C-alpha cells in the first residue's frame, strides 16, 4: 500500500491493484488461479482495469486496504510511457547514457531480466518512426514499448517465484521531469543491436 500511495501522491502517477501470489499446496501461484498464467502476480484482476486506475493517494489507500497483498501496476500512456529492453542491453545503454550526460527518468528491472525506462507520454507512438530513423526495423530488436492501454508492474511487485521488480534508478525529485523517447531510443536501440 505504501508504494502505491507514494506513486499516486508524490509522482501523480495512476496506480492499479493487480493480482498477487499465494501459497497453494506448497507452491506459489497467481491469485487468478490460471494453470499457465503468463504474468503470475503481475497483471490486472479484471478486463475493466483501465477504469479502475486512480491517481488519488486516498483512493489508492482505500483500494489496497481491501487487498493489501495486491501487486502495484502502473498504467502507461497517461503520465509516462515505458521503453523495455533486455537487462544486458539496458545496462549497456544506461552506462552510455550516463556518460553522455543524458537526463534520465526512473528505470526499473524485473526478475525476468528486463529493464524499463520511463519516458514522456507519446513515446510508444513515436518509437517505430524513431527506430527507422536509427536504421532499425521495429521488429528486428528486442525492444518493447508500453503506451496507451497498457501497464507495467512497479516495485515492489513480486513476479512469480523469481523475485520482485526493483528500481535501478528510483523516482526522485531530480528525475521528476521525464526524458523524451527521442533522447533514449538511439542508445537503447544501439545497445539492443550490440547484444543480439
Amino acid at each position: 500500500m505504501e508504494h502505491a500511495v507514494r506513486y499516486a501522491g508524490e509522482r501523480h502517477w495512476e496506480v492499479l491493484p493487480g493480482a498477487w501470489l499465494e501459497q497453494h499446496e506448497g507452491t506459489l501461484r497467481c491469485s487468478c488461479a490460471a494453470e499457465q498464467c503468463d504474468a503470475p502476480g503481475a497483471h490486472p484482476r479484471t478486463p475493466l482495469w483501465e477504469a479502475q486506475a486512480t491517481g488519488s493517494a486516498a483512493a489508492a489507500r482505500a483500494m489496497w486496504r481491501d487487498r493489501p497483498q495486491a501487486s502495484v501496476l502502473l498504467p502507461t500512456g497517461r503520465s509516462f510511457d515505458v521503453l523495455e529492453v533486455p537487462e544486458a542491453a539496458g545496462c549497456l545503454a544506461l552506462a552510455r547514457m550516463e556518460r553522455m550526460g543524458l537526463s534520465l527518468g526512473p528505470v526499473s528491472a524485473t526478475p525476468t531480466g528486463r529493464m524499463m525506462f520511463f519516458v514522456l507520454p507519446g513515446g510508444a507512438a513515436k518509437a517505430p518512426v524513431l527506430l527507422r530513423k536509427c536504421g532499425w526495423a521495429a521488429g528486428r530488436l528486442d525492444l518493447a514499448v508500453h503506451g496507451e492501454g497498457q501497464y507495467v508492474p512497479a516495485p515492489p511487485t513480486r513476479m512469480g517465484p523469481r523475485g520482485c521488480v526493483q528500481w535501478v534508478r528510483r523516482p526522485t525529485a531530480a528525475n521528476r521531469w521525464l526524458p523524451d523517447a527521442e533522447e533514449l531510443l538511439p542508445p537503447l536501440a544501439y545497445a539492443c543491436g550490440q547484444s543480439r
Side-chain angles (χ1 to χ4, degrees), residues 1-10 15 56-58 60-62 64:
M1 180 190 322
E2 288 176 32
H3 295 277
V5 169
R6 192 173 319 127
Y7 297 145
E10 294 176 12
V15 294
S56 159
R61 188 179 310 283
W64 267 270

Side-chain angles (χ1 to χ4, degrees), residues 64-76:
W64 267 270
R65 191 175 303 124
D66 294 341
R67 289 205 166 78
Q69 71 277 38
S71 61
V72 181
L73 304 178
L74 302 173
T76 53

Side-chain angles (χ1 to χ4, degrees), residues 88-144:
C91 289
L92 178 65
L94 189 58
R96 189 167 192 220
M97 289 186 266
E98 286 175 343
R99 281 194 309 273
M100 294 167 63
L102 289 180
S103 172
L104 294 167
V107 178
S108 65
T110 70
T112 58
R114 307 291 290 177
M115 285 179 74
M116 295 183 278
F117 291 75
F118 288 59
V119 296
L120 288 171
K126 293 180 188 178
V129 172
L130 293 171
L131 287 172
R132 275 196 304 278
K133 283 183 181 178
C134 293
W136 295 98
R140 304 264 311 161
L141 297 175
D142 187 2
L143 189 152

Side-chain angles (χ1 to χ4, degrees), residues 20-31 69 158 160-161:
W20 58 88
L21 295 175
E22 49 192 26
Q23 286 286 339
H24 180 70
E25 297 177 358
T27 61
L28 284 176
R29 76 169 189 185
C30 186
S31 61
Q69 71 277 38
R158 185 172 172 92

